Amino acid sequence: MVDSASSGELREDFDRENLQLSKDLDRMTERVESIAVDLTWMAYDMVVLRTVPQLTKSLKRLEDEYLLCKSVISGSAEKDNLDALSKIVDQKSTQD
């Protein structure tokens, strides 16, 4: 009788541990997949940016324009700063 009770408990413990290990493995697999996706996008970005240098300039200009618009909309920029930013963006536009 003791053997059947202890073997039943052992079986339950084994099942619980097996379920927990399965859950842990699923979580780790999801993390690895996420990392793989991130690495793939990073590699893609590196290849694109290095093969098309104009894209880097365009992205920088877009970022500058965004920051200018953001400062104007939020009202955090002062008039002098806006004029300076505006001149920089205009100079970059004429250079491209």
Side-chain angles (χ1 to χ4, degrees):
M1 194 104 188
V2 173
D3 286 333
S4 66
S6 64
S7 67
E9 289 175 12
L10 288 174
R11 179 71 180 160
E12 288 176 16
D13 288 343
F14 178 76
D15 288 343
R16 266 186 263 132
E17 287 179 18
N18 195 16
L19 181 63
Q20 186 62 40
L21 287 172
S22 179
K23 288 179 182 179
D24 290 343
L25 183 60
D26 284 342
R27 274 189 236 118
M28 287 192 302
T29 303
E30 288 175 12
R31 282 190 217 145
V32 169
E33 288 174 352
S34 177
I35 291 170
V37 169
D38 291 344
L39 286 173
T40 302
W41 277 112
M42 287 172 60
Y44 173 79
D45 288 343
M46 286 178 61
V47 168
V48 168
L49 291 176
R50 289 181 185 202
T51 57
V52 185
Q54 295 85 7
L55 182 60
T56 305
K57 291 178 185 177
S58 296
L59 288 174
K60 181 63 179 154
R61 182 169 173 234
L62 180 63
E63 181 183 14
D64 292 341
E65 294 282 347
Y66 166 76
L67 293 173
L68 177 64
C69 290
K70 182 180 173 184
S71 63
V72 169
I73 289 172
S74 67
S76 63
E78 297 176 6
K79 175 97 171 95
D80 295 336
N81 290 342
L82 288 177
D83 291 339
L85 283 172
S86 181
K87 287 178 185 177
I88 292 170
V89 170
D90 289 341
Q91 286 174 354
K92 288 182 180 179
S93 298
T94 56
Q95 290 174 357
D96 296 337

